Amino acid sequence: MNFPATRLRRLRRTEAMRSLVRETHLHPSALVYPLFLCPGEGVRKEITSMPGVFNLSVDEALKEAEECAALGIGGLLLFGLPAEKDEQASGAWADDGIVQTAVRAMKRNRKLDSLLQITDVCVCEYTSHGHCGIVTRDGDHFEVENDSSVALLAKTAASQAAAGADIVAPSDMMDGRVAAIREALDAGGFHQTPILSYASKFSSAFYGPFREAADSAPQFGDRRGYQMDGANMREAMREIEQDVAEGADMLMMKPAMPYLDVIRAARERFDLPMGAYQVSGEYAMLHAAFERGWLEPERAMMESLLSIRRAGADFIVTYFAKDAAKVLG
Ligand code: PBG
């Protein structure tokens, strides 16, 4: 590599040259757009900390979905805000639950055939206390029970598959839930429904805005007893190994930007298709800077997505999906 014979700038001089040698690409079909479904009709309520993201009633969600399909986006990730919450998260696995109802409506619409319907499997939006499982309390002490929570998650996944979900995506971080979900899906005849497992999900401050969007902030305590400690890379690899052994078809890494090294390590070690979730706080943070004119919106958005792809994610769940798809045209 001797200068002046070697001049790396030769391949950077024009856009045509840069395009030819570009190593990493973004494509709308590898973007997934999250939707927050709520009861009612004609509801379109913006989330304060997430400009351009709304709580949507099913009729409004269908319009949003049509726009996504027309933009060539790969799929939707559906979250539900139920009318009522309780200790057993009944709304999560009800046949006429908000997500089940929306999936049925989406699947009836032929314009949405190209759009995968991915359902979030978790109960924090449906429990009165906002934790991702069944809680037992003893004075000040509380425990999120693992095994009874897993049974609810399995039931939830099966009811979503019955409603027509293309992929189920458990995001709760209970132990053993992938195996239990696989068993429940197979018992219901849904052998073909893949599991996208949030295999390494860190306990993160960057979920803050989501908890407003999904009305799922824990009423007491926090999620550190089940979500992972941000300091632990080796543990993240063990989590993934475990989910692979239990039958996960795909992996989801989350958050994305603060954990790019974990995405890279997972890519090098595992051959399963892997997504990364650019979470609500990552979106809110960029938007806050856009609003102040501190960052160029389009360039910063595309650069953030590219960094996640370059780290090794095959697809990206992002609130920027529509905006990015428009840029990619
Ligand atoms: C809940 C869930 C969360 C997110 C996705 N699924 C929040 C949490 O764990 O508290 C966060 C997504 C985001 O911040 O955009 N099971």
Side-chain angles (χ1 to χ4, degrees):
M1 291 271 273
N2 279 332
F3 178 82
T6 302
R7 289 180 184 268
L8 291 170
R9 288 182 55 192
R10 280 185 199 122
L11 303 184
R12 291 180 205 147
R13 288 183 58 238
T14 63
E15 180 49 29
M17 196 69 90
R18 290 190 291 272
S19 286
L20 184 73
V21 300
R22 189 159 291 136
E23 298 174 31
T24 311
H25 297 269
L26 289 165
H27 197 272
S29 65
L31 298 176
V32 173
Y33 190 54
L35 288 187
F36 299 102
L37 306 156
C38 67
E41 234 178 277
V43 183
R44 207 178 163 78
K45 182 173 157 263
E46 193 165 31
I47 293 135
T48 345
S49 49
M50 300 175 73
V53 179
F54 300 83
N55 286 340
L56 301 166
S57 50
V58 174
D59 55 325
E60 290 291 324
L62 282 162
K63 294 183 202 161
E64 198 82 12
E66 286 184 13
E67 192 189 341
C68 289
L71 286 166
I73 287 171
L76 299 177
L77 179 58
L78 303 177
F79 295 95
L81 288 80
E84 317 246 329
K85 300 175 189 257
D86 59 32
E87 300 257 320
Q88 301 297 316
S90 318
W93 37 271
D95 200 36
D96 60 353
I98 181 85
V99 166
Q100 288 81 353
T101 306
V103 170
R104 283 198 188 89
M106 300 271 187
K107 283 293 168 191
R108 276 195 299 267
N109 185 335
R110 290 278 74 84
K111 286 187 214 152
L112 306 182
D113 284 351
S114 65
L115 206 57
L116 289 165
Q117 304 296 332
I118 309 173
T119 51
D120 178 72
V121 181
C122 191
V123 297
C124 62
E125 299 110 79
Y126 304 91
T127 49
S128 36
H129 44 64
H131 277 290
C132 304
I134 302 260
V135 166
T136 50
R137 299 181 75 164
D138 180 9
D140 277 351
H141 179 77
F142 78 95
E143 194 71 52
V144 178
E145 283 187 4
N146 193 83
D147 301 11
S148 57
S149 303
V150 165
L152 284 190
L153 294 162
K155 214 153 104 169
T156 300
S159 81
Q160 294 170 345
D166 295 301
I167 300 172
V168 295
S171 67
D172 53 283
M173 292 303 280
M174 299 299 127
D175 287 321
R177 92 277 206 210
V178 172
I181 289 172
R182 185 72 269 157
E183 202 179 308
L185 290 175
D186 290 355
F190 307 110
H191 303 91
Q192 299 297 346
T193 308
I195 301 174
L196 164 59
S197 169
Y198 288 66
S200 93
K201 173 171 175 177
F202 291 93
S203 174
S204 172
F206 289 90
Y207 305 149
F210 172 95
R211 293 179 186 169
E212 179 202 336
D215 185 24
S216 67
Q219 301 300 303
F220 48 84
D222 56 43
R223 303 208 202 291
R224 280 181 286 190
Y226 40 105
Q227 297 180 349
M228 283 191 40
D229 184 333
N232 294 355
M233 171 72 88
R234 291 192 298 268
E235 187 189 355
M237 298 302 119
R238 291 188 73 199
E239 273 289 355
I240 298 171
E241 252 161 42
Q242 185 67 33
D243 285 12
V244 173
E246 288 179 29
D249 298 280
M250 294 182 272
L251 305 171
M252 180 91 93
M253 311 298 289
K254 176 183 181 181
M257 282 233 288
Y259 295 88
L260 291 175
D261 56 329
V262 186
I263 297 175
R264 168 53 43 198
R267 174 75 299 154
E268 279 166 13
R269 196 140 151 188
F270 301 96
D271 291 330
L272 279 76
M274 190 171 77
Y277 198 143
Q278 184 180 48
V279 301
S280 57
E282 300 178 59
Y283 178 82
M285 174 169 78
L286 287 165
H287 261 283
F290 300 163
E291 270 172 27
R292 291 174 187 205
W294 289 354
L295 287 175
E296 265 180 70
E298 187 178 306
R299 288 188 58 207
M301 165 180 78
M302 297 313 274
E303 192 173 332
S304 72
L305 295 170
L306 197 66
S307 75
I308 300 166
R309 280 277 294 133
R310 197 187 56 241
D314 299 304
F315 59 94
I316 306 174
V317 180
T318 173
Y319 303 97
F320 286 122
K322 287 196 302 176
D323 295 334
K326 284 175 197 159
V327 174
L328 294 167

